[in-house]
Amino acid sequence: MAFVKDMLRMWAHSWKRFISIAMITLLGVAVLTGIYAGCRDAFRSTDRFFDAQGLHDVQVLSTAGLSNGDIAALRKVNGVAKVQAERSQEVTFDLDGRKSATMQEIGTDGIDQPYLQEGRMPKKAGEIAVTRKFIRDSGKRIGSRLTVIPESASSDTSDTSDTNGADGTNETNGTDEAPSFPTKLTIVGVVLDPQNLSNPDGYSAMTSFRSTATTDYTFFAPSDGVTGTLYTSATLLVKGAAAESTFDESYENTVKQVTDRIDGTVKTDRQKARRQELLDAGNKKIADARAEADKKFADAQSQIDANRQQFNQQVDQIVSMQAGAAAAGAAANGANAGAAAAAGATTPQLDETTRETMRETIIAASPELTQAKQQLDQAQSQLNEQKASTEQTLKTKENELKTSIPQVRWYVQDRQSLGGFSALKSDLDSIQSLGNAFPIVFLLVAVMMSLTAMARMVEEDRSLIGTYVGLGYGRLAVASRYLLFALLACLIGGGLGLIAGFLGIPAFLLVVLQGMYVMPGLRLEYDWLYGSLGIALFVVGVLAATIYACVQEMRQTPASLLRPKAPRAGSRILLERIRPVWNRMGFLSKVTARNIFRFKSRLIMTVGGVAGCTALIVCGLAINDTVADLGIKQYRDIYQYDLMVVSDDSDASAMRTKVASDGRVTSSLDVRIESGDLTVAGSGDGDSGKAGSSGSESIQLVAVPEKHLSDLGEMVTLQPVSSGILGTSGVGKTGSLKLDDDGVIVAQSAASALGVKAGSKVRLTNGDDVQATAKVSAVNRNLIGSDVYVSETYYAKLFDSKDAKNTKNSKSSEDSEALTWNAMLAKLSGSDTSQTDYAESLEEDSSVMKAVSCAHMADSFKFDLMGAVVALIVALAGGLALVVLFTLANTNVSERVREMATLKVLGFFDREVHHYVNREMMILTVMGVILGLPLGRLVGGMLTMALNMPSLYFEVEVKPLSYVIAAVATMAFALLVQLFVNPVLDRIDPISSLKSVE
């Protein structure tokens, strides 16, 4: 009992060490669990939402649409739980200029169900639900009416050869009809699209601009009123996938098994079957056209024959009359008048030659008959020519049918192909990577500080330990005094850290996340396993340091422990050997130098602890500086143009005319911009249709006219880059990179995320979902967005554009009908404000789909999530620095109580004692800061490299002000600690402190 009382008394006496260990553990556990818990809560709530709304696991698209046979084949795939055939249609409407939308049928099989936020779900034909983004942009509300125009309305007519379009969704064959939706619409609800959780009122990086293949909004309509048997896509749910977390590798493996089965047999068979359906439909159209033509030709021939028969009868009648008259005249000259009368009553018989001669004579003698005969002959000739021409046309179409209908392609995509899903996953993964790295530094600092504090605590009880051991207490029992002390401090600090880690930090992060994404049903959850392991990690580290300190002392005999520890032998320091410096130093300066460099452990612990804390602050500020400069570097330095204008293909000419007529443009470059995908090409066939594989990145494909390839460098800074280390990259000379016809130039942001470099093979998907394997000729410096630049000729080679392969020899690239230049990069005159206003005014024009001012983007680009995390890290690092300095300062004072007492006996005033002790701490702090500044840059570079976010590349930069802030903050913490240490120095009693035996 006395042993326990003494132990408790010792614990109460060492309350400062207890608080230090508890605080360090609290901060470490909070960092370890807090960021993890915040990301995990977001992951889990999103996964629950996806499961509740039935977000598809796999989506199948086809360039020729999907038929009932395709849907039936997908249902038979092993591992498929449910298949939903979906119909959609692209429409346009007037909303301060022409806008586009996708009319999406709400599935009846429970897949991809929109989440109702306001109003009710549409049930009748003409009713729709819209997203909050549309409500915000349009100013409409529930009950408002809207009229849309189907985009396919202008292209409904097609000849026999146009059996299949570019995407196949707006074409029909013999039995399938393209989807058609009502055009008079009424808004009855506001919904959240489960495929896109982006918060329309929060941060949204405008890094990719819509092409003619995408739409601005999505309207959800019921099946009532929707016609057409041709499906635009099929969505699938995979058996067992709902039981896995959608963000885990196990989910990806489960889905991959099904996509592999679809790619293996079903895809190939149905592509061939679908193409055969189109061929059969084309042949049927040709056969129907031949039958219809034959019927028309037969009717025309019958009419001509009837007219010719009537004409011949008329001529034959005239011939008979003339022949009878001739016979009657000959008989009148005869002797018998009765015989003449009898002869007049009978038409004489004429041979065929005579009759034909008479016909020709009669026709030639009559202008009317001559004209009639010519008309009949001309009609017959024209009919024969039409028959021959039609037959030749049909035969040509029969021969060209197989080549005119391209191979049908299926694209099997998983959730990674959804931009909203991949962005959320990448954001959370990147933040979680920071949460996994920073606790390592906290743990190392905790171990170092615990070793320092507990070593001093054990050393202070040296004689007491010897006494207990001499009295027969076991070394383990004696060591338990200190192990239980450290364990209790860790448990209390860890418990408080769990509260902060699973409640405080996640609540802070989720507030920021909800400003970026809409996550219904979000709640905070506790992870018992991770929380317990988090505390256990710090308990093991601190107890290991405590055990080491106990072993160092207790391995001696009780007799040795009962004797005072021999003072450290005097020795010279390196500075003493530098005579010119040493001889000019004062007495107290020499004492300070000896105290600093003779006690190596204290030097290492103090400098290391301060350096670690300073490095964390620099690291956080480095990430903040890097993110803060992204917009300026991209939109001021890399993009040299001031304005990007994008239009629909049909409005491209009107858009260019509009911009040119305004007189604001000083120079411009016409390009084509499409939204697409870039995938790392595997070793297999480059035409693989799995666009949603794990190595995929959304891109902005920019095609440049052949005659203006050299002008691209005037609009965009072209600088080749090569991968470096620690977040750096080698940047080549400006202007040394040229776009040619041998490959594409890939943006650094996409290349870094996918591991692409010059010479790599990648798979590109253009705006029409056509895929091709391309060679990367170079990687261009780019921080925001994933631009891929391609020449007109190479674009034609990749995607087989008609009439585009000979553009080099054409008089002008604009003379070619291969590509429509639907966008313009332009330099403007005027201030940044006027350029921004001009871009806003352009968006109101009906011919402009999107107008973006680089000046506005540079000023408005923000990254709220990363800024919040950086602020959190810097705050925690500052707290750790404060605790570390407090621990080291108190340990330093406790080790030197007799020294401080001696100084007081010698006549030192309190202020002089303060200066004597604090000067050493300030010098050690400065040394730690000097070491921590470059260390922070090093760690910041490594952590920034771990951040892998869509369409972003973090080019590490630390501003001089950040170094100053980190240094000043650390020194300020050191000065703050002095305010706590000085009263301790004042309370040292010289008499009692010097009573101990030397």
Side-chain angles (χ1 to χ4, degrees), residues 669-671 702-706 708-709 712 739 789-792 821:
L669 174 64
D670 293 336
V671 296
V702 182
V704 183
E706 195 66 33
H708 301 286
L709 294 181
L712 179 63
L739 180 63
Y789 300 101
V790 58
S791 68
E792 181 182 5
W821 310 116

Side-chain angles (χ1 to χ4, degrees), residues 586-777:
F587 172 75
L588 291 181
S589 299
K590 292 179 179 179
V591 173
T592 300
R594 283 179 174 151
N595 288 336
I596 290 175
F597 294 106
R598 283 183 62 215
F599 300 97
K600 301 294 191 301
S601 61
R602 188 173 65 193
L603 172 65
I604 294 174
M605 292 297 180
T606 305
V607 173
V610 173
C613 298
T614 304
L616 286 177
I617 297 176
V618 172
C619 181
L621 295 175
I623 298 175
N624 184 69
D625 290 344
T626 299
V627 172
D629 282 351
L630 282 178
I632 296 176
K633 289 182 178 180
Q634 181 68 36
Y635 298 107
R636 299 285 189 188
D637 299 338
I638 297 177
Y639 287 164
Q640 297 297 310
Y641 60 83
D642 300 314
L643 177 71
M644 172 185 284
V645 188
V646 185
S647 72
D648 195 357
D649 281 0
S650 59
D651 298 326
S653 179
M655 177 270 291
R656 287 194 293 271
T657 302
K658 164 64 178 173
V659 175
S661 63
D662 291 338
R664 295 292 304 275
V665 176
T666 58
S667 62
S668 64
L669 174 64
D670 293 336
V671 296
R672 177 169 183 80
I673 293 180
E674 299 178 354
S675 295
D677 290 308
L678 183 146
T679 308
V680 178
S683 58
D685 183 26
D687 293 332
S688 173
K690 191 175 180 181
S693 58
S694 58
S696 180
E697 186 85 4
S698 297
I699 62 168
Q700 183 171 276
L701 188 62
V702 182
V704 183
E706 195 66 33
K707 296 294 184 180
H708 301 286
L709 294 181
S710 59
D711 296 338
L712 179 63
E714 298 179 3
M715 296 294 172
V716 180
T717 301
L718 299 178
Q719 289 179 277
V721 295
S722 57
S723 299
I725 60 174
L726 305 179
T728 63
S729 58
V731 182
K733 182 180 179 182
T734 302
S736 60
L737 185 60
K738 301 292 184 182
L739 180 63
D740 53 32
D741 300 330
D742 296 330
V744 299
I745 297 178
V746 178
Q748 184 180 13
S749 48
S752 176
L754 300 178
V756 173
K757 58 183 180 180
S760 300
K761 295 288 186 179
V762 296
R763 188 179 302 116
L764 292 177
T765 304
N766 69 355
D768 294 324
D769 283 336
V770 179
Q771 293 188 339
T773 301
K775 175 186 175 183
V776 178
S777 61

Side-chain angles (χ1 to χ4, degrees), residues 586-592 595 896-920 982 985-990 994:
F587 172 75
L588 291 181
S589 299
K590 292 179 179 179
V591 173
T592 300
N595 288 336
R896 303 168 63 185
V897 171
R898 290 179 56 79
E899 181 183 353
M900 300 301 105
T902 303
L903 292 177
K904 288 190 174 186
V905 170
L906 293 175
F908 278 68
F909 292 102
D910 288 343
R911 182 174 297 178
E912 293 174 324
V913 175
H914 297 168
H915 180 69
Y916 176 81
V917 175
N918 294 332
R919 181 168 57 176
E920 293 181 14
N982 289 340
L985 295 175
D986 295 339
R987 288 194 296 267
I988 294 178
D989 183 7
L994 293 175

Side-chain angles (χ1 to χ4, degrees), residues 198-200 202-210 423 427 515-517 630-631 635 700 783-786 850 852 857 860-864 949-952:
S198 298
N199 188 345
Y203 164 75
S204 178
M206 299 173 60
T207 56
S208 60
F209 305 99
R210 299 184 181 276
D427 283 351
M516 299 174 59
Y517 301 99
L630 282 178
Y635 298 107
Q700 183 171 276
L783 308 181
I784 302 175
S786 297
K850 190 70 179 177
V852 180
M857 293 299 297
S860 62
F861 182 85
K862 295 180 181 179
F863 202 170
D864 297 332
M949 307 184 75
S951 303
L952 288 176

Side-chain angles (χ1 to χ4, degrees), residues 149-171:
I149 302 174
E151 285 194 351
S152 59
S154 61
S155 58
D156 284 342
T157 58
S158 59
D159 59 20
T160 307
S161 63
D162 294 332
T163 308
N164 180 40
D167 59 5
T169 58
N170 291 327
E171 303 295 336

Side-chain angles (χ1 to χ4, degrees), residues 552-573:
Q552 290 296 104
E553 291 293 335
M554 293 184 185
R555 65 183 178 181
Q556 302 178 42
T557 62
S560 299
L561 292 172
L562 288 171
R563 288 194 299 267
K565 188 175 182 179
R568 181 183 296 272
S571 61
R572 290 179 178 273
I573 61 174

Side-chain angles (χ1 to χ4, degrees), residues 430-431 433-434 623 866 943-949 952 954:
S430 299
I431 300 307
S433 66
L434 293 178
I623 298 175
M866 188 62 68
L943 288 179
T944 305
M945 288 181 63
L947 296 177
N948 183 16
M949 307 184 75
L952 288 176
F954 295 96

Side-chain angles (χ1 to χ4, degrees), residues 19 26 125 143 145 262 316 421 457 472 489 599 613 634 884 898:
I19 292 178
L26 185 155
R145 299 183 181 275
I262 297 175
D316 288 342
F421 174 87
M457 185 176 180
F599 300 97
C613 298
Q634 181 68 36
V884 166
R898 290 179 56 79

